[in-house]
Amino acid sequence: MAWLCSAQNAEDFRAAAERGDAEAQFNLGRCYYFGNGVEADYDTALAWWKLAANAGNAKAQRNLGNLYYNGHVVDQDYREAAKWFRAAADQGLKDAQYNLGACYYYGNGVTQNLLEASKWFRSAAEKGVAGAQESLGTCYYNGDGVAQDYKEAVRWFRAAAEQGLSSSQYIVSTLYYRGVGTDTNYVEAARWARAAAMQGVAKAQYNLGSYYQLGHGVEIDSVEALGWFEKAAEQGLVEAQYKAGICYKRGEGTPRDDTKAAEWFTKAAKQGLAMAQCDLGLCYDRGEGVPQSKELAVEWYRAAANQGNAQAQYNLALCYYNGEGVPQNRAVAASWFRKAANQGDIDAAEALELMPEYGKKR
Protein backbone atom coordinates (compact mmCIF):
# COMPACT_ATOMS: atom_id res chain seq x y z
CA MET A 1 0.00 0.00 0.00
CA ALA A 2 1.33 3.45 -0.92
CA TRP A 3 2.69 5.56 1.92
CA LEU A 4 1.39 9.10 2.35
CA CYS A 5 3.18 12.17 3.65
CA SER A 6 2.77 15.89 3.08
CA ALA A 7 5.25 18.37 1.67
CA GLN A 8 5.85 19.62 5.21
CA ASN A 9 6.50 16.07 6.40
CA ALA A 10 9.04 15.66 3.63
CA GLU A 11 10.84 18.84 4.59
CA ASP A 12 10.91 17.80 8.23
CA PHE A 13 12.31 14.40 7.23
CA ARG A 14 14.92 16.13 5.04
CA ALA A 15 16.12 18.35 7.85
CA ALA A 16 16.53 15.38 10.18
CA ALA A 17 18.00 13.19 7.45
CA GLU A 18 20.67 15.74 6.67
CA ARG A 19 21.63 15.67 10.35
CA GLY A 20 22.22 11.92 10.02
CA ASP A 21 18.96 10.58 11.49
CA ALA A 22 18.64 7.11 9.94
CA GLU A 23 14.89 6.82 10.52
CA ALA A 24 14.35 10.18 8.83
CA GLN A 25 16.58 9.07 5.95
CA PHE A 26 14.42 5.98 5.56
CA ASN A 27 11.21 8.03 5.63
CA LEU A 28 12.56 10.60 3.17
CA GLY A 29 13.43 7.71 0.86
CA ARG A 30 9.81 6.59 1.10
CA CYS A 31 8.63 10.11 0.19
CA TYR A 32 10.73 10.02 -2.98
CA TYR A 33 9.80 6.42 -3.79
CA PHE A 34 6.05 7.04 -3.60
CA GLY A 35 6.11 10.66 -4.76
CA ASN A 36 4.49 11.96 -1.59
CA GLY A 37 5.35 15.53 -0.61
CA VAL A 38 8.05 15.56 -3.29
CA GLU A 39 8.28 14.60 -6.92
CA ALA A 40 8.79 10.83 -7.28
CA ASP A 41 12.44 9.96 -7.88
CA TYR A 42 13.55 6.36 -7.48
CA ASP A 43 17.26 7.18 -7.65
CA THR A 44 16.97 9.70 -4.84
CA ALA A 45 14.91 7.23 -2.82
CA LEU A 46 17.64 4.65 -3.34
CA ALA A 47 20.34 7.09 -2.21
CA TRP A 48 18.54 7.89 1.04
CA TRP A 49 17.78 4.24 1.73
CA LYS A 50 21.44 3.35 1.25
CA LEU A 51 22.44 5.98 3.79
CA ALA A 52 19.84 4.69 6.25
CA ALA A 53 20.75 1.05 5.63
CA ASN A 54 24.43 1.67 6.16
CA ALA A 55 23.52 3.41 9.41
CA GLY A 56 21.73 0.22 10.50
CA ASN A 57 18.09 1.02 9.76
CA ALA A 58 16.45 -2.40 9.36
CA LYS A 59 13.53 -1.19 7.23
CA ALA A 60 15.87 0.50 4.78
CA GLN A 61 17.98 -2.67 4.67
CA ARG A 62 14.87 -4.68 3.87
CA ASN A 63 13.85 -2.23 1.13
CA LEU A 64 17.28 -2.40 -0.46
CA GLY A 65 17.03 -6.18 -0.37
CA ASN A 66 13.69 -6.01 -2.16
CA LEU A 67 15.05 -3.69 -4.84
CA TYR A 68 18.08 -5.90 -5.52
CA TYR A 69 16.00 -9.09 -5.44
CA ASN A 70 13.44 -7.82 -7.94
CA GLY A 71 15.85 -5.81 -10.10
CA HIS A 72 13.81 -2.65 -9.53
CA VAL A 73 15.71 0.67 -9.68
CA VAL A 74 18.97 -1.33 -9.53
CA ASP A 75 20.28 -4.27 -11.52
CA GLN A 76 19.04 -7.57 -10.13
CA ASP A 77 21.60 -8.98 -7.72
CA TYR A 78 20.50 -11.85 -5.49
CA ARG A 79 23.76 -11.83 -3.53
CA GLU A 80 23.34 -8.17 -2.63
CA ALA A 81 19.68 -8.78 -1.85
CA ALA A 82 20.52 -11.63 0.53
CA LYS A 83 23.16 -9.46 2.24
CA TRP A 84 20.64 -6.75 3.04
CA PHE A 85 17.89 -9.20 3.99
CA ARG A 86 20.30 -10.78 6.48
CA ALA A 87 21.22 -7.43 7.97
CA ALA A 88 17.54 -6.66 8.57
CA ALA A 89 16.67 -10.21 9.61
CA ASP A 90 19.39 -10.22 12.25
CA GLN A 91 17.66 -7.20 13.75
CA GLY A 92 14.41 -9.17 13.95
CA LEU A 93 12.52 -7.61 11.04
CA LYS A 94 9.97 -10.28 10.26
CA ASP A 95 9.45 -9.76 6.52
CA ALA A 96 13.23 -9.67 6.00
CA GLN A 97 13.45 -12.98 7.85
CA TYR A 98 10.85 -14.41 5.50
CA ASN A 99 12.71 -13.09 2.45
CA LEU A 100 16.02 -14.43 3.70
CA GLY A 101 14.37 -17.80 4.20
CA ALA A 102 13.24 -17.71 0.58
CA CYS A 103 16.81 -16.93 -0.53
CA TYR A 104 18.06 -20.02 1.29
CA TYR A 105 15.17 -22.16 0.07
CA TYR A 106 15.77 -21.40 -3.60
CA GLY A 107 19.51 -20.78 -3.43
CA ASN A 108 19.20 -17.18 -4.59
CA GLY A 109 22.25 -15.16 -3.58
CA VAL A 110 23.35 -17.82 -1.09
CA THR A 111 24.15 -21.51 -1.21
CA GLN A 112 20.87 -23.40 -0.99
CA ASN A 113 20.34 -24.55 2.57
CA LEU A 114 16.92 -25.92 3.50
CA LEU A 115 17.77 -26.06 7.20
CA GLU A 116 18.57 -22.34 7.21
CA ALA A 117 15.50 -21.66 5.11
CA SER A 118 13.20 -23.42 7.57
CA LYS A 119 14.88 -21.61 10.48
CA TRP A 120 14.19 -18.17 9.00
CA PHE A 121 10.70 -19.14 7.84
CA ARG A 122 9.94 -20.20 11.42
CA SER A 123 11.21 -16.91 12.83
CA ALA A 124 8.90 -14.96 10.54
CA ALA A 125 6.02 -17.41 10.83
CA GLU A 126 5.99 -17.14 14.60
CA LYS A 127 5.71 -13.38 14.17
CA GLY A 128 2.61 -13.86 12.01
CA VAL A 129 3.94 -13.45 8.46
CA ALA A 130 1.42 -15.39 6.37
CA GLY A 131 3.80 -16.13 3.51
CA ALA A 132 6.35 -17.52 5.96
CA GLN A 133 3.67 -19.66 7.59
CA GLU A 134 2.82 -21.11 4.19
CA SER A 135 6.49 -21.67 3.40
CA LEU A 136 7.07 -23.38 6.74
CA GLY A 137 4.03 -25.54 6.02
CA THR A 138 5.64 -26.47 2.72
CA CYS A 139 8.86 -27.39 4.51
CA TYR A 140 6.98 -29.72 6.85
CA TYR A 141 4.94 -31.18 3.99
CA ASN A 142 8.02 -31.98 1.90
CA GLY A 143 10.50 -32.61 4.71
CA ASP A 144 12.62 -29.65 3.59
CA GLY A 145 15.05 -28.76 6.37
CA VAL A 146 12.76 -30.36 8.96
CA ALA A 147 11.44 -33.84 9.60
CA GLN A 148 8.41 -34.45 7.39
CA ASP A 149 5.29 -33.89 9.46
CA TYR A 150 1.92 -33.53 7.76
CA LYS A 151 0.16 -32.44 10.95
CA GLU A 152 2.61 -29.57 11.40
CA ALA A 153 2.19 -28.73 7.73
CA VAL A 154 -1.57 -28.46 8.18
CA ARG A 155 -1.09 -26.30 11.29
CA TRP A 156 1.05 -23.76 9.47
CA PHE A 157 -0.96 -23.79 6.25
CA ARG A 158 -4.07 -23.18 8.29
CA ALA A 159 -2.42 -20.33 10.19
CA ALA A 160 -1.73 -18.63 6.85
CA ALA A 161 -5.19 -19.49 5.54
CA GLU A 162 -6.83 -17.89 8.55
CA GLN A 163 -4.98 -14.68 7.68
CA GLY A 164 -6.61 -14.76 4.26
CA LEU A 165 -3.74 -16.08 2.16
CA SER A 166 -5.62 -17.57 -0.77
CA SER A 167 -2.94 -20.06 -1.81
CA SER A 168 -2.92 -21.53 1.71
CA GLN A 169 -6.71 -21.64 1.77
CA TYR A 170 -6.58 -23.75 -1.38
CA ILE A 171 -3.90 -26.02 0.09
CA VAL A 172 -5.82 -26.49 3.35
CA SER A 173 -8.91 -27.39 1.35
CA THR A 174 -7.07 -30.12 -0.55
CA LEU A 175 -5.53 -31.51 2.63
CA TYR A 176 -8.92 -31.78 4.33
CA TYR A 177 -10.36 -33.38 1.20
CA ARG A 178 -7.58 -35.97 0.98
CA GLY A 179 -7.22 -36.48 4.73
CA VAL A 180 -3.51 -35.62 4.77
CA GLY A 181 -2.26 -34.50 8.19
CA THR A 182 -5.84 -34.38 9.41
CA ASP A 183 -9.02 -36.42 9.25
CA THR A 184 -10.87 -36.30 5.94
CA ASN A 185 -13.47 -33.57 6.26
CA TYR A 186 -15.44 -32.62 3.16
CA VAL A 187 -17.24 -29.79 4.93
CA GLU A 188 -13.96 -28.12 5.86
CA ALA A 189 -12.59 -28.86 2.40
CA ALA A 190 -15.55 -27.10 0.81
CA ARG A 191 -15.34 -24.17 3.27
CA TRP A 192 -11.71 -23.47 2.52
CA ALA A 193 -12.18 -24.06 -1.20
CA ARG A 194 -14.91 -21.42 -1.16
CA ALA A 195 -12.65 -18.98 0.69
CA ALA A 196 -9.93 -19.38 -1.93
CA ALA A 197 -12.42 -19.44 -4.80
CA MET A 198 -13.91 -16.14 -3.67
CA GLN A 199 -10.41 -14.67 -3.96
CA GLY A 200 -10.14 -15.91 -7.52
CA VAL A 201 -8.00 -19.03 -7.16
CA ALA A 202 -8.92 -20.95 -10.30
CA LYS A 203 -8.08 -24.42 -8.96
CA ALA A 204 -10.19 -23.75 -5.87
CA GLN A 205 -13.07 -22.63 -8.08
CA TYR A 206 -12.75 -25.84 -10.06
CA ASN A 207 -12.63 -27.98 -6.92
CA LEU A 208 -15.62 -26.19 -5.43
CA GLY A 209 -17.52 -26.89 -8.63
CA SER A 210 -16.62 -30.55 -8.30
CA TYR A 211 -17.80 -30.59 -4.69
CA TYR A 212 -21.17 -29.20 -5.75
CA GLN A 213 -21.34 -31.77 -8.52
CA LEU A 214 -20.53 -34.66 -6.18
CA GLY A 215 -22.22 -33.40 -3.01
CA HIS A 216 -18.97 -33.41 -1.04
CA GLY A 217 -19.27 -31.05 1.91
CA VAL A 218 -22.17 -29.22 0.25
CA GLU A 219 -25.55 -30.16 -1.14
CA ILE A 220 -25.51 -31.33 -4.76
CA ASP A 221 -26.24 -28.29 -6.91
CA SER A 222 -25.54 -28.55 -10.63
CA VAL A 223 -26.18 -24.82 -11.17
CA GLU A 224 -23.55 -23.87 -8.57
CA ALA A 225 -21.19 -26.47 -10.01
CA LEU A 226 -21.39 -25.01 -13.50
CA GLY A 227 -21.04 -21.47 -12.14
CA TRP A 228 -17.75 -22.30 -10.44
CA PHE A 229 -16.48 -24.34 -13.38
CA GLU A 230 -17.08 -21.35 -15.64
CA LYS A 231 -15.30 -18.94 -13.28
CA ALA A 232 -12.23 -21.18 -13.36
CA ALA A 233 -12.62 -21.79 -17.09
CA GLU A 234 -12.65 -18.06 -17.79
CA GLN A 235 -9.24 -17.88 -16.10
CA GLY A 236 -7.95 -20.47 -18.56
CA LEU A 237 -7.95 -23.56 -16.32
CA VAL A 238 -8.14 -26.32 -18.89
CA GLU A 239 -9.86 -28.91 -16.70
CA ALA A 240 -12.58 -26.41 -15.89
CA GLN A 241 -13.05 -25.52 -19.55
CA TYR A 242 -13.63 -29.17 -20.30
CA LYS A 243 -16.00 -29.65 -17.35
CA ALA A 244 -18.01 -26.59 -18.41
CA GLY A 245 -18.26 -28.08 -21.89
CA ILE A 246 -19.52 -31.36 -20.46
CA CYS A 247 -22.17 -29.55 -18.38
CA TYR A 248 -23.48 -27.73 -21.46
CA LYS A 249 -23.33 -30.93 -23.50
CA ARG A 250 -25.33 -32.91 -20.95
CA GLY A 251 -27.60 -30.08 -19.84
CA GLU A 252 -26.33 -30.20 -16.25
CA GLY A 253 -27.06 -26.96 -14.39
CA THR A 254 -28.25 -25.38 -17.62
CA PRO A 255 -30.36 -26.25 -20.63
CA ARG A 256 -28.35 -28.29 -23.11
CA ASP A 257 -26.41 -26.01 -25.40
CA ASP A 258 -24.21 -27.72 -27.99
CA THR A 259 -22.78 -24.43 -29.21
CA LYS A 260 -21.46 -23.44 -25.78
CA ALA A 261 -20.25 -26.99 -25.22
CA ALA A 262 -18.24 -26.83 -28.44
CA GLU A 263 -16.85 -23.42 -27.48
CA TRP A 264 -15.50 -24.72 -24.17
CA PHE A 265 -14.23 -27.93 -25.76
CA THR A 266 -12.38 -25.81 -28.33
CA LYS A 267 -10.67 -23.72 -25.65
CA ALA A 268 -9.57 -26.84 -23.76
CA ALA A 269 -8.59 -28.69 -26.94
CA LYS A 270 -6.35 -25.83 -28.03
CA GLN A 271 -4.58 -26.14 -24.67
CA GLY A 272 -3.86 -29.78 -25.50
CA LEU A 273 -6.35 -31.64 -23.30
CA ALA A 274 -6.87 -34.98 -25.02
CA MET A 275 -10.40 -35.57 -23.67
CA ALA A 276 -11.50 -32.19 -24.99
CA GLN A 277 -9.86 -32.84 -28.35
CA CYS A 278 -11.74 -36.13 -28.63
CA ASP A 279 -15.08 -34.55 -27.69
CA LEU A 280 -14.50 -31.65 -30.05
CA GLY A 281 -13.83 -34.21 -32.76
CA LEU A 282 -17.24 -35.73 -31.97
CA CYS A 283 -18.86 -32.30 -32.25
CA TYR A 284 -17.43 -31.88 -35.76
CA ASP A 285 -18.20 -35.50 -36.63
CA ARG A 286 -21.88 -35.07 -35.76
CA GLY A 287 -22.30 -31.38 -36.51
CA GLU A 288 -23.27 -30.61 -32.91
CA GLY A 289 -22.64 -26.99 -31.97
CA VAL A 290 -20.37 -26.51 -34.98
CA PRO A 291 -20.81 -27.00 -38.74
CA GLN A 292 -20.28 -30.66 -39.54
CA SER A 293 -16.80 -31.36 -40.85
CA LYS A 294 -15.44 -34.88 -41.07
CA GLU A 295 -12.02 -33.45 -41.88
CA LEU A 296 -11.90 -31.37 -38.70
CA ALA A 297 -13.23 -34.35 -36.77
CA VAL A 298 -10.27 -36.38 -37.99
CA GLU A 299 -7.86 -33.56 -37.09
CA TRP A 300 -9.04 -33.44 -33.48
CA TYR A 301 -9.35 -37.20 -33.13
CA ARG A 302 -5.77 -37.51 -34.32
CA ALA A 303 -4.53 -34.89 -31.86
CA ALA A 304 -6.12 -36.81 -28.97
CA ALA A 305 -5.18 -40.23 -30.35
CA ASN A 306 -1.52 -39.22 -30.55
CA GLN A 307 -1.71 -38.47 -26.83
CA GLY A 308 -2.95 -41.99 -26.16
CA ASN A 309 -6.68 -41.31 -25.75
CA ALA A 310 -8.31 -44.68 -26.42
CA GLN A 311 -11.71 -43.29 -27.44
CA ALA A 312 -10.07 -40.96 -29.95
CA GLN A 313 -7.98 -43.84 -31.30
CA TYR A 314 -11.15 -45.86 -31.82
CA ASN A 315 -12.96 -42.94 -33.45
CA LEU A 316 -10.01 -42.21 -35.72
CA ALA A 317 -9.91 -45.89 -36.69
CA LEU A 318 -13.58 -45.70 -37.70
CA CYS A 319 -12.82 -42.68 -39.88
CA TYR A 320 -10.13 -44.63 -41.72
CA TYR A 321 -12.31 -47.74 -41.89
CA ASN A 322 -15.23 -45.86 -43.46
CA GLY A 323 -13.20 -43.30 -45.41
CA GLU A 324 -14.78 -40.35 -43.61
CA GLY A 325 -12.59 -37.24 -43.52
CA VAL A 326 -9.65 -39.27 -44.82
CA PRO A 327 -9.13 -41.68 -47.70
CA GLN A 328 -10.33 -45.15 -46.74
CA ASN A 329 -7.45 -47.28 -45.44
CA ARG A 330 -8.28 -50.49 -43.60
CA ALA A 331 -4.67 -51.15 -42.61
CA VAL A 332 -4.37 -47.78 -40.88
CA ALA A 333 -7.81 -48.34 -39.34
CA ALA A 334 -6.63 -51.65 -37.91
CA SER A 335 -3.52 -49.99 -36.49
CA TRP A 336 -5.63 -47.47 -34.57
CA PHE A 337 -8.14 -50.13 -33.49
CA ARG A 338 -5.22 -52.11 -32.13
CA LYS A 339 -3.86 -49.14 -30.15
CA ALA A 340 -7.27 -48.62 -28.58
CA ALA A 341 -7.79 -52.34 -27.95
CA ASN A 342 -4.43 -52.58 -26.21
CA GLN A 343 -5.74 -50.00 -23.75
CA GLY A 344 -8.80 -52.11 -23.02
CA ASP A 345 -11.31 -50.59 -25.44
CA ILE A 346 -13.83 -53.40 -26.00
CA ASP A 347 -15.37 -51.87 -29.14
CA ALA A 348 -11.95 -51.66 -30.75
CA ALA A 349 -11.16 -55.26 -29.84
CA GLU A 350 -14.45 -56.39 -31.36
CA ALA A 351 -13.74 -54.38 -34.52
CA LEU A 352 -10.42 -56.19 -34.89
CA GLU A 353 -12.19 -59.53 -34.60
CA LEU A 354 -14.15 -58.57 -37.72
CA MET A 355 -10.87 -57.89 -39.52
CA PRO A 356 -9.15 -61.29 -39.31
CA GLU A 357 -6.41 -60.27 -41.69
CA TYR A 358 -5.38 -57.60 -39.12
CA GLY A 359 -6.87 -58.62 -35.78
CA LYS A 360 -4.20 -60.98 -34.45
CA LYS A 361 -1.26 -58.62 -34.90
CA ARG A 362 0.24 -57.05 -31.81
Side-chain angles (χ1 to χ4, degrees), residues 10-21 24 28:
E11 284 308 307
D12 292 342
F13 289 143
R14 186 185 308 279
E18 289 174 348
R19 293 195 299 269
D21 186 312
L28 185 56

Side-chain angles (χ1 to χ4, degrees), residues 32-232:
Y32 277 106
Y33 187 86
F34 292 111
N36 290 157
V38 293
E39 186 176 347
D41 186 330
Y42 288 150
D43 289 334
T44 302
L46 176 64
W48 283 113
W49 280 343
K50 282 185 174 180
L51 284 173
N54 285 320
N57 184 277
K59 291 175 288 187
Q61 292 167 342
R62 175 219 38 219
N63 285 9
L64 282 184
N66 287 335
L67 295 180
Y68 280 110
Y69 195 90
N70 295 311
H72 178 52
V73 185
V74 294
D75 292 336
Q76 189 174 57
D77 187 333
Y78 287 143
R79 188 180 297 276
E80 192 72 5
K83 181 189 83 172
W84 287 114
F85 286 147
R86 181 181 299 281
D90 284 339
Q91 294 193 64
L93 197 66
K94 60 186 180 181
D95 45 348
Q97 292 174 334
Y98 169 46
N99 292 344
L100 183 59
C103 288
Y104 275 111
Y105 192 84
Y106 295 108
N108 289 339
V110 292
T111 301
Q112 187 179 43
N113 187 322
L114 298 180
L115 183 61
E116 277 292 296
S118 66
K119 181 189 83 171
W120 287 110
F121 286 151
R122 186 182 306 280
S123 294
E126 289 174 347
K127 294 182 175 75
V129 178
Q133 292 169 339
E134 179 176 277
S135 294
L136 186 56
T138 300
C139 288
Y140 275 112
Y141 189 87
N142 296 326
D144 292 337
V146 293
Q148 189 175 54
D149 187 330
Y150 291 142
K151 287 185 178 180
E152 275 295 289
V154 170
R155 181 169 81 88
W156 286 110
F157 285 138
R158 181 154 183 154
E162 288 172 347
Q163 291 201 66
L165 191 64
S166 61
S167 51
S168 282
Q169 292 170 339
Y170 167 69
I171 293 169
V172 168
S173 172
T174 63
L175 295 177
Y176 274 115
Y177 192 83
R178 293 160 48 207
V180 176
T182 182
D183 293 336
T184 298
N185 188 324
Y186 288 159
V187 173
E188 281 292 287
R191 181 170 80 86
W192 286 111
R194 183 184 304 281
M198 293 293 288
Q199 293 199 66
V201 178
K203 288 184 177 180
Q205 293 169 338
Y206 173 75
N207 284 357
L208 187 56
S210 297
Y211 300 161
Y212 273 111
Q213 195 172 60
L214 299 169
H216 287 177
V218 291
E219 293 293 324
I220 289 177
D221 189 327
S222 57
V223 175
E224 278 286 309
L226 175 57
W228 287 110
F229 287 146
E230 287 199 287
K231 286 182 185 297

Side-chain angles (χ1 to χ4, degrees), residues 1-24:
M1 183 173 66
W3 185 66
L4 300 177
C5 76
S6 66
Q8 184 59 55
N9 292 146
E11 284 308 307
D12 292 342
F13 289 143
R14 186 185 308 279
E18 289 174 348
R19 293 195 299 269
D21 186 312
E23 184 69 14

Side-chain angles (χ1 to χ4, degrees), residues 263-295:
E263 287 173 359
W264 284 120
F265 288 152
T266 299
K267 290 179 185 295
K270 286 182 176 179
Q271 289 202 66
L273 188 68
M275 293 182 295
Q277 292 170 338
C278 181
D279 282 2
L280 183 58
L282 279 170
C283 291
Y284 279 110
D285 205 346
R286 298 169 179 171
E288 294 177 348
V290 290
Q292 188 174 44
S293 171
K294 297 293 186 179
E295 290 75 18

